Amino acid sequence: MVERETWATRTGFILAAVGSAVGLGNIWRFPFQASEQGGAAFLVVYLLLILAIGFPVMLVEFTVGRRTKRNPIGALKELGTGVWTKVGWIFVVAGFVIMSYYSAVSGWVLQYMVLGLQNDYAVDAAGGQFLATASGLDSVLTHAIFMAAVVVIVAFGIQRGIEMSVKVMVPAIILLLVGLAVYAATLEGATEAYQFYLSPDLSTIAENWTEILPAAAAQAFFTLSLGMGVMITYASYLGEDRNLAEDGAIILGFDTAIAFIVGLIAFPVLQAASIPPGDPGPGAIFISLSAAFGELPFGGIIGAVFFGTVAIAALSSAISITEVVVSYLIDEHGVDRVPATVGLGVAMFAVGLPVAYGASGDLSELIIFDGLANGILLVLGGLLLSIYVGWVGSDFALDELGKGITNIGSWGLTWLWLVRIPVIVILLVVLALNVQGYYQDLTALFAG
Ligand code: PHE
């Protein structure tokens, strides 16, 4: 067996995890879910969930990964007995499905970058422009280009591929987004936009909690790359026993700050162009933001910078999703990294073709893939792993968390009890609501 690589530096690990966390989720979903669910009301629930379930579950994944030094399937085979040995499969299947459509959507982002460079954003016909972008051969081509970029990076391995690339990508994302936020602050109407984004209407939360809670929880999971084994896999390459809680807190802080900054860009841009955030849903970022960029002076070039940044963020996430599945093939089947990565890239490209080609013209392929993977598989994976670590394997997990933390005191037990009850209860409720929502979406799609 080949010697397992480790991260060259601690910063490398943190940047890779931040790169994974910051992606389409922060940009494509976040502002629009926020605007759908009453702006700041959503933000409050989201922040609470990040702390109450995101952070503990991230540590659950870290302890499993660092303890076993294996991919998610191998890790659970090593730790668990009986059915627990099978839980890792959910992660690998979720990763495979997510990557297939994530790449298709990232291809659309590339197309919007090019449209900006050509100063071609449609204003009145933005919806039609989006549907044209999101289907047909151009979409298949950009899906292929994006997937190829992912394959090249992952094929180079942990240190020379993932670590080197995130050292460039993550600082670039941060700089570009901060620059765009400064630009957005100069736009007319920025103050009103911030107000909508930042003043919570608590009655909205009380009235709509059955919608806000599952949406915010699924978002908290997706944005932190939880529930599909990325954090297990990345922690499995940790060579030394560092303080997992500290690293987790840094990762979480960056991810949240970046999602927040994106809102500071999106809402003023929309406001300045007098464009309503629009129907949320998969097309929102493309339709309403590109229309807004189409209205503003120099909007083409600024839009190109914005979508270019989104593309970099998507790439730094996509490599982590792919690495989960690649590490499984390497660890469990002894496949070499390069053929494993290339073969998987081709397979994921093929599975994503229906989303990229978009024959339906109404994004139903995307809704079917995303509802299943993001709404159900991620939450289910996170739930089962939390039950396992909280109730079955808690001894090893406490021991692992304690390594590298000099004065853990009662924090270890606090964490464990958070995982044992609140995390599990919330995830159960969210899973039930998401299954129900998915069922409704499917019936609506097939009835219509
Ligand atoms: N966190 C990424 C995002 O916000 C998506 C992702 C989900 C990446 C699951 C890895 C695993 O876009």
Side-chain angles (χ1 to χ4, degrees):
M1 206 174 161
V2 238
E3 169 112 29
R4 216 159 190 275
E5 261 193 285
T6 54
W7 302 105
T9 61
R10 173 180 182 211
T11 324
F13 162 66
I14 293 180
L15 286 177
V18 171
S20 169
V22 175
L24 293 179
N26 301 59
I27 300 170
W28 168 44
R29 270 183 226 279
F30 179 73
F32 292 91
Q33 282 199 330
S35 79
E36 180 191 24
Q37 317 272 10
F42 180 84
L43 198 62
V44 171
V45 179
Y46 168 81
L47 288 176
L48 282 175
L49 287 174
I50 290 271
L51 289 176
I53 62 171
F55 190 46
V57 175
M58 183 176 282
L59 294 181
V60 163
E61 292 204 15
F62 280 172
T63 52
V64 169
R66 191 172 69 182
R67 170 61 63 119
T68 58
K69 309 231 174 310
R70 301 276 283 282
N71 68 92
I73 290 184
L76 279 137
K77 270 203 238 163
E78 185 178 316
L79 290 172
T81 50
V83 284
W84 296 113
T85 57
K86 306 279 184 273
V87 169
W89 278 100
I90 301 176
F91 298 115
V92 173
V93 170
F96 189 93
V97 176
I98 292 184
M99 187 53 203
S100 65
Y101 71 81
Y102 203 84
S103 168
V105 178
S106 304
W108 306 340
V109 175
L110 291 176
Q111 291 188 63
Y112 269 88
M113 184 180 80
V114 174
L115 283 173
L117 291 173
Q118 297 167 334
N119 207 2
D120 257 350
Y121 292 133
V123 178
D124 298 325
Q129 184 174 43
F130 172 66
L131 287 179
T133 305
S135 59
L137 288 181
D138 282 354
S139 168
V140 169
L141 181 70
T142 46
H143 172 42
I145 294 175
F146 187 84
M147 190 68 85
V150 172
V151 166
V152 168
I153 296 179
V154 175
F156 272 102
I158 297 301
Q159 291 193 4
R160 285 191 310 142
I162 297 181
E163 191 164 348
M164 286 245 275
S165 67
V166 294
K167 280 187 176 154
V168 181
M169 290 196 279
V170 173
I173 297 167
I174 296 175
L175 281 179
L176 289 165
L177 286 179
V178 170
L180 285 163
V182 171
Y183 157 82
T186 65
L187 293 172
E188 220 184 296
T191 333
E192 286 116 75
Y194 293 151
Q195 231 157 35
F196 167 72
Y197 181 42
L198 299 178
S199 41
D201 173 2
L202 295 180
S203 64
T204 326
I205 304 183
E207 278 159 29
N208 300 324
W209 74 272
T210 53
E211 271 175 36
I212 297 186
L213 179 74
Q219 171 64 15
F221 250 60
F222 189 80
T223 186
L224 292 174
S225 307
L226 297 175
M228 59 149 285
V230 166
M231 297 302 171
I232 298 181
T233 309
Y234 274 7
S236 77
Y237 298 117
L238 280 171
E240 306 153 45
D241 290 337
R242 297 189 195 98
N243 186 332
L244 292 176
E246 193 179 290
D247 289 3
I250 297 175
I251 295 160
L252 196 138
F254 269 103
D255 183 66
T256 309
I258 291 174
F260 180 73
I261 295 176
V262 173
L264 295 180
I265 302 169
F267 291 107
V269 165
L270 293 170
Q271 177 87 24
S274 314
I275 293 202
D279 285 343
I285 176 188
F286 298 105
I287 299 173
S288 48
L289 271 180
S290 69
F293 285 124
E295 288 267 290
L296 298 177
F298 307 106
I301 188 73
I302 294 166
V305 174
F306 176 80
F307 284 104
T309 313
V310 180
I312 304 174
L315 185 60
S316 68
S317 297
I319 55 180
S320 74
I321 309 178
T322 307
E323 178 61 28
V324 171
V325 194
V326 168
S327 73
Y328 158 71
L329 291 176
I330 297 178
D331 289 355
E332 305 302 305
H333 296 287
V335 187
D336 284 336
R337 178 170 280 274
V338 175
T341 316
V342 174
L344 256 180
V346 172
M348 294 189 296
F349 170 76
V351 173
L353 276 176
V355 176
Y357 192 71
S360 68
D362 61 2
L363 298 182
S364 51
E365 296 86 359
L366 178 59
I367 297 169
I368 293 170
F369 274 61
D370 187 50
L372 173 70
N374 176 40
I376 299 179
L377 292 180
L378 287 192
V379 183
L380 182 65
L383 173 65
L384 292 177
L385 193 70
S386 301
I387 297 177
Y388 177 74
V389 165
W391 294 100
V392 186
S394 41
D395 291 345
F396 97 80
L398 272 181
D399 175 60
E400 193 62 42
L401 185 72
K403 290 182 189 164
I405 305 185
T406 23
N407 241 325
I408 190 162
S410 57
W411 285 108
L413 279 178
T414 311
W415 165 69
L416 193 61
W417 280 100
L418 264 179
V419 173
R420 284 188 168 167
I421 299 177
V423 165
I424 291 175
V425 171
I426 296 177
L427 291 181
L428 269 174
V429 174
V430 168
L431 184 64
L433 291 169
N434 279 346
V435 168
Q436 192 194 8
Y438 190 54
Y439 177 75
Q440 279 165 359
D441 283 351
L442 288 188
T443 21
L445 279 178
F446 289 115

